[in-house]
């Protein structure tokens, strides 16, 4: 899950940055949900609200770890959230 700062109005740009990072890593996004502006569970600095966006995808743990590190550097994200940005799902077994 990604949480964007609502006061900076950078949600569309931030979502595109995350999508680009996922595509560059070779990840296929299965589903996206814009969950909108919500109250944070606790204050992050002086912020009490964030814009939530959920990405669901499958990847290996190695790719997830690398993406997590890269996305921590994105200014559009409220980086203090944990996990930083991604919902990890392990690959489904093939029949």
């Amino acid at each position: 899950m990604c949480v964007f700062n609502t006061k900076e109005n950078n949600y569309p740009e931030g979502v595109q940055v995350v999508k680009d990072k996922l595509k560059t890593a070779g990840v296929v996004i299965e589903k996206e949900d814009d969950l909108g502006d919500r109250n944070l569970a606790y204050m992050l600095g002086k912020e009490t609200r964030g814009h939530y966006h959920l990405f669901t995808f499958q990847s290996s743990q190695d790719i997830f770890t690398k993406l997590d590190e890269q996305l921590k550097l994105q200014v559009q994200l409220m980086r203090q959230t944990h996990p930083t940005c991604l919902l990890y799902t392990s690959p489904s077994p093939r029949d």
Side-chain angles (χ1 to χ4, degrees), residues 24-86:
T24 300
V27 172
V28 176
I29 299 170
E30 295 177 352
K31 185 178 175 184
E32 287 185 62
D33 290 308
D34 178 0
L35 303 176
D37 291 354
R38 297 175 176 223
N39 290 330
L40 299 171
Y42 53 88
M43 287 182 66
L44 296 174
K46 295 182 181 182
E47 303 301 325
T48 58
R49 292 186 63 77
H51 192 110
Y52 287 73
H53 194 94
L54 178 66
F55 293 92
T56 305
F57 61 91
Q58 290 187 3
S59 74
S60 68
Q61 184 65 40
D62 292 341
I63 291 174
F64 173 76
T65 303
K66 289 175 187 174
L67 283 169
D68 191 48
E69 289 298 317
Q70 289 177 7
L71 291 170
K72 284 180 184 178
L73 303 175
Q74 298 304 311
V75 296
Q76 297 90 348
L77 295 171
M78 296 176 72
R79 296 185 303 252
Q80 298 88 340
T81 60
H82 187 75
T84 303
C85 191
L86 308 173

Side-chain angles (χ1 to χ4, degrees), residues 12-27:
E13 176 187 338
V15 168
Q16 191 58 50
V17 168
V18 173
K19 283 179 167 180
D20 291 346
K21 294 283 184 188
L22 291 170
K23 286 180 184 176
T24 300
V27 172

